[in-house]
């Protein structure tokens, strides 16, 4: 096992060059990139295929729900396992399940299946893999880098993620020209490479949590209990949940691409990529100049900008303006994600990190997948554009309410001032 990095590295050790000099960090970034690339390729393909089969906004919402339900059942136990089992092995097994789901989608496409329930079943298997993987993969960075390297490492990780989110949808739209099998086959290969990358890592062991007398039920609920006692962690995670739950409109993009803007699957790929395009610009800026002060105020301001950009997206009928609004959504969301992803591990004791990461992932899964379901239902009830506008306005309301409910988060200044709260 590689030795633990120093708690207070020198300026040279805190540089981007030193960060990329870490073998395990390079493997982590490579695996994160390929895994997200494969997921986005698959997401674009399955969204277009399901809508093409059903022409139903509700069916698109069910795509998100099918992936979310396994997270509700599995994520918290997976967090406990991540604190006790080799996280490399967990990620490898989860990536294999994701590959199996992609293989299932290949078979359905080859057979010409029109019963959409089988696509939902494959997505449920994929959601199971994601639920198992998330707590383990999200708690890797603190084991690879020092606390002072954390903000820059999170920014690099976010950049890698966003680059794959940019390339993935565009590549997925391109591959779909040759049929869904080409897209799903590429995703299948990507998931298998992810498993190999994480197995090749040599991270230092995580601290062992709790003691032998602690019950499984206590371990299972410890992440939730800790989060409730930490206003910074609870505020940051729940702000993301409700903002994206209300403001997220990703599930409705196929409707905008086909019925409102008439830009086809290639246009859908570009639209899916634009939030990531805005995010990657911001994340590169954060690598060069990380946030140093007024962190809480910056986070709330950027979530408000996300809500405003969502409203602009819903009102737009021009493809260029739509792309600009989507890019602004991604840019503003990237700042809040960077802050949350840095605050949570800094404010969490290492022996609790897997379980707290599981709770965080459950919240994020709710904001993304359940948000897609919310968008689909709202669009079916009120229309596509009103559903987006309601979400954007709701996001602004959440910002105001959370600034009042969580003053500890609002007043966070510097990252280095945030210390882990006792888990007992």
């Amino acid at each position: 096992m590689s030795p633990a990095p120093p708690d207070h590295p020198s300026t040279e050790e805190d540089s981007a060059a030193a960060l990329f000099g870490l073998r395990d960090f390079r493997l982590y970034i490579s695996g994160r990139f390929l895994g997200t690339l494969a997921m986005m390729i698959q997401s674009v393909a399955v969204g277009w295929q399901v809508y093409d089969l059903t022409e139903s906004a509700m069916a698109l919402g069910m795509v998100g729900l099918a992936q979310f339900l396994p997270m509700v059942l599995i994520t918290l136990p997976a967090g406990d396992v991540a604190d006790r089992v080799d996280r490399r092995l967990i990620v490898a097994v989860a990536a294999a399940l994701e590959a199996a789901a992609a293989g299932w989608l290949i078979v359905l496409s080859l057979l010409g299946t029109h019963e959409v329930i089988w696509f939902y079943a494959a997505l449920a298997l994929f959601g199971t893999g994601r639920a198992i993987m998330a707590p383990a993969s999200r708690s890797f960075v603190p084991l690879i880098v020092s606390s002072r390297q954390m903000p820059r490492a999170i920014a690099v990780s976010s950049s890698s993620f966003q680059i794959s989110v940019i390339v993935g949808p565009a590549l997925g739209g391109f591959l779909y020209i040759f049929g869904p099998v080409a897209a799903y086959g590429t995703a299948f290969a990507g998931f298998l490479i992810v498993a190999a990358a994480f197995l090749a890592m040599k991270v230092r062991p995580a601290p062992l949590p709790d003691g032998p007398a602690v019950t499984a039920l206590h371990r299972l609920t410890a992440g939730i209990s800790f989060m409730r006692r930490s206003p910074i962690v609870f505020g940051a995670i729940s702000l993301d949940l409700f903002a994206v739950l209300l403001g997220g409109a990703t599930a409705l993009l196929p409707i905008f691409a086909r019925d409102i803007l008439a830009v086809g699957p290639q246009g859908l790929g570009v639209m899916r990529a634009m939030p990531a395009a805005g995010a990657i610009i911001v994340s590169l800026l954060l690598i060069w100049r990380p946030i140093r002060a007024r962190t809480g105020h910056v986070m709330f301001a950027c979530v408000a900008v996300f809500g405003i950009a969502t409203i602009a997206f819903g009102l737009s009928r021009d493809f260029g303006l739509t792309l600009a609004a989507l890019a602004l959504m991604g840019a503003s969301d990237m700042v809040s994600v960077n802050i949350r992803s840095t605050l949570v591990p800094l404010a969490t004791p290492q022996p609790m990190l897997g379980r707290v990461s599981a709770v965080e992932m459950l919240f994020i899964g709710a904001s993304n997948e359940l948000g897609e379901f919310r968008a689909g239902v709202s669009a079916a009830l009120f229309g596509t554009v009103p559903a987006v506008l309601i979400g954007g306005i709701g996001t602004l309301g959440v910002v105001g309410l959370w600034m009042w409910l969580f003053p500890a988060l609002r007043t966070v200044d510097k990252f280095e001032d945030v210390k882990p709260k006792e888990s007992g």
Side-chain angles (χ1 to χ4, degrees), residues 259-343:
D259 299 339
I260 296 177
L261 299 172
V263 292
Q266 293 77 29
L268 173 61
V270 175
M271 291 171 66
R272 287 292 299 267
M274 287 312 294
I280 188 61
I281 294 173
V282 170
S283 61
L284 291 174
L285 290 174
L286 291 172
I287 295 173
W288 174 57
R289 181 170 292 183
I291 297 170
R292 300 295 187 188
R294 297 178 61 82
T295 302
H297 287 92
V298 172
M299 183 176 190
F300 280 108
C302 288
V303 175
V305 171
F306 176 82
I308 294 170
T310 299
I311 294 172
F313 163 72
L315 293 174
S316 173
R317 296 296 177 272
D318 178 79
F319 189 53
L321 180 58
T322 295
L323 296 181
L326 289 169
L328 183 58
M329 289 168 63
S332 55
D333 184 54
M334 183 70 257
V335 178
S336 64
V337 167
N338 179 269
I339 293 174
R340 187 200 73 236
S341 299
T342 305
L343 284 177

Side-chain angles (χ1 to χ4, degrees), residues 7-29:
D7 289 333
H8 300 286
S10 67
T11 301
E12 289 185 0
E13 289 174 319
D14 194 27
S15 67
L19 196 60
F20 280 103
L22 300 174
R23 174 183 177 274
D24 283 346
F25 187 73
R26 295 195 305 271
L27 286 170
Y28 173 80
I29 291 300

Side-chain angles (χ1 to χ4, degrees), residues 98-411:
E98 293 178 339
W104 190 342
L105 291 170
I106 291 172
V107 172
L108 292 176
S109 300
L110 289 174
L111 293 177
T113 303
H114 285 76
E115 291 80 8
V116 74
I117 185 65
W118 296 112
F119 289 88
Y120 298 150
L123 291 171
L125 177 61
F126 178 74
T128 299
R130 284 187 64 193
I132 294 172
M133 178 186 293
S137 64
R138 292 178 67 84
S139 54
F140 259 102
V141 175
L143 303 180
I144 299 171
V145 306
S146 68
S147 59
R148 285 180 59 86
Q149 289 175 310
M150 277 285 292
R152 196 184 302 274
I154 293 296
V156 172
S157 179
S158 297
S159 297
S160 171
F161 174 82
Q162 295 300 339
I163 290 172
S164 61
V165 172
I166 291 173
V167 176
L171 182 56
F174 172 76
L175 290 171
Y176 201 87
I177 297 174
F178 304 98
V181 172
Y184 298 141
T186 303
F188 176 84
F191 294 134
L192 292 181
I193 295 174
V194 170
F198 275 85
L199 286 175
M201 294 175 66
K202 298 179 180 179
V203 297
R204 60 190 171 97
L208 292 176
D210 307 320
V214 176
T215 66
L217 179 61
H218 181 275
R219 294 199 313 268
L220 195 64
T221 59
I224 296 175
S225 299
F226 170 80
M227 188 186 72
R228 291 177 57 190
R229 295 193 304 271
S230 175
I232 290 178
V233 174
F234 188 27
I237 294 176
S238 60
L239 176 64
D240 189 294
L241 183 153
F242 285 102
V244 180
L245 175 65
L246 293 171
T250 303
L252 303 179
L253 288 181
I255 301 177
F256 278 88
R258 201 185 81 165
D259 299 339
I260 296 177
L261 299 172
V263 292
Q266 293 77 29
L268 173 61
V270 175
M271 291 171 66
R272 287 292 299 267
M274 287 312 294
I280 188 61
I281 294 173
V282 170
S283 61
L284 291 174
L285 290 174
L286 291 172
I287 295 173
W288 174 57
R289 181 170 292 183
I291 297 170
R292 300 295 187 188
R294 297 178 61 82
T295 302
H297 287 92
V298 172
M299 183 176 190
F300 280 108
C302 288
V303 175
V305 171
F306 176 82
I308 294 170
T310 299
I311 294 172
F313 163 72
L315 293 174
S316 173
R317 296 296 177 272
D318 178 79
F319 189 53
L321 180 58
T322 295
L323 296 181
L326 289 169
L328 183 58
M329 289 168 63
S332 55
D333 184 54
M334 183 70 257
V335 178
S336 64
V337 167
N338 179 269
I339 293 174
R340 187 200 73 236
S341 299
T342 305
L343 284 177
V344 171
L346 289 178
T348 304
Q350 278 283 351
M352 290 286 300
L353 192 53
R355 285 165 288 177
V356 172
S357 295
V359 177
E360 182 185 11
M361 182 57 202
L362 189 59
F363 274 53
I364 292 172
S367 66
N368 290 326
E369 274 69 35
L370 195 57
E372 291 185 6
F373 180 67
R374 190 281 312 168
V377 171
S378 298
L381 292 175
F382 308 115
T384 301
V385 172
V388 174
L389 298 181
I390 291 170
I393 294 170
T395 299
L396 296 178
V398 166
V399 170
L401 181 60
W402 256 238
M403 290 183 71
W404 176 66
L405 290 175
F406 297 97
L409 177 61
R410 186 186 71 242
T411 56

Side-chain angles (χ1 to χ4, degrees), residues 87-107:
R87 292 171 184 171
R88 298 169 301 175
L89 180 61
I90 294 173
V91 172
V93 170
L97 288 177
E98 293 178 339
W104 190 342
L105 291 170
I106 291 172
V107 172

